């Protein structure tokens, strides 16, 4: 809408953005935000900071993992790609476990993943079982398994 009969009643500037409040003759008070940089660069505004996780296309926090690597004193020097690589590996492992646990939950007709589903997912997958072999998951239980010797014998009579 065009406000030809508008009169500027107040304006103030914050962070290179000018906020103008108009009083229109045929409407109530209308506020408008005019984005203008301080040097008149055509309203480009300030640059939005981009996280290193967003640059890498990851969900896991690359900056936080980098900080933990630095504070842990694992090495005297650390490359810029180390936290990105570690975040990608951790995100992949979490996605893999969550996908298998979600399948286990769906098999049990549940919509929520509980520790039992994580245990079933890890123990039924060969590679994850090898990776997490010495890990105990709280409230996870064990795989259902009955030894063949303990099963009742099948009779040969017909």
């Amino acid at each position: 809408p065009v406000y030809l009969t508008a009169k500027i009643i107040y304006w103030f500037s914050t962070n290179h953005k000018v906020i103008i409040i108009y009083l229109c003759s045929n409407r109530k008070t209308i506020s408008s935000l005019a984005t203008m940089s301080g040097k008149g660069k055509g309203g480009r505004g300030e640059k939005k900071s981009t996280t290193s996780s967003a640059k890498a296309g990851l969900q896991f926090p690359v900056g936080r993992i980098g900080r933990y690597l630095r504070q842990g004193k694992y090495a005297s020097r650390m490359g810029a790609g180390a936290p990105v690589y570690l975040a990608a590996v951790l995100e992949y492992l979490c996605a893999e476990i969550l996908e298998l646990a979600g399948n286990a939950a769906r098999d049990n007709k549940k919509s929520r993943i509980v520790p039992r589903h994580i245990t079933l997912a890890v123990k039924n997958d060969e590679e994850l079982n090898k990776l997490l072999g010495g890990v105990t998951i709280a409230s996870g239980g064990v795989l259902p398994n009955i030894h063949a010797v303990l099963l009742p014998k099948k009779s040969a009579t017909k």
Side-chain angles (χ1 to χ4, degrees):
V2 179
Y3 304 109
L4 297 175
T5 59
K7 175 182 165 188
I8 297 174
I9 55 171
Y10 186 69
W11 72 274
F12 57 95
S13 175
T14 56
N15 293 344
H16 304 295
K17 293 186 189 218
V18 179
I19 298 175
I20 303 171
I21 300 176
Y22 296 101
L23 182 66
C24 198
S25 61
N26 56 352
R27 297 174 188 233
K28 299 180 203 173
T29 304
I30 300 159
S31 64
S32 169
L33 175 67
T35 57
M36 298 184 332
S37 63
K39 296 181 181 177
K41 301 230 177 181
R44 269 185 265 162
E46 295 178 17
K47 270 243 165 153
K48 190 95 163 133
S49 62
T50 309
T51 62
S52 48
S53 298
K55 287 178 188 172
L58 298 173
Q59 299 299 317
F60 269 49
V62 172
R64 185 180 300 175
I65 290 172
R67 187 178 75 232
Y68 290 158
L69 285 174
R70 282 193 306 274
Q71 289 175 352
K73 305 281 187 198
Y74 298 108
S76 58
R77 301 173 71 186
M78 183 183 69
V84 176
Y85 196 95
L86 183 57
V89 169
L90 290 174
E91 183 175 320
Y92 169 75
L93 284 174
C94 283
E96 190 72 25
I97 290 172
L98 282 174
E99 182 183 353
L100 294 173
N103 293 343
R106 192 178 63 233
D107 292 344
N108 291 331
K109 297 182 178 116
K110 305 285 187 207
S111 60
R112 186 175 296 163
I113 296 174
V114 294
R116 175 72 178 154
H117 301 138
I118 297 173
T119 300
L120 291 173
V122 168
K123 298 294 181 193
N124 285 324
D125 189 75
E126 184 181 336
E127 293 172 341
L128 285 176
N129 190 25
K130 188 175 179 182
L131 177 69
L132 303 174
V135 174
T136 303
I137 298 173
S139 303
V142 295
L143 279 181
N145 184 23
I146 301 173
H147 201 276
V149 176
L150 300 173
L151 291 172
K153 294 184 174 107
K154 294 179 183 176
S155 59
T157 57
K158 290 185 180 179

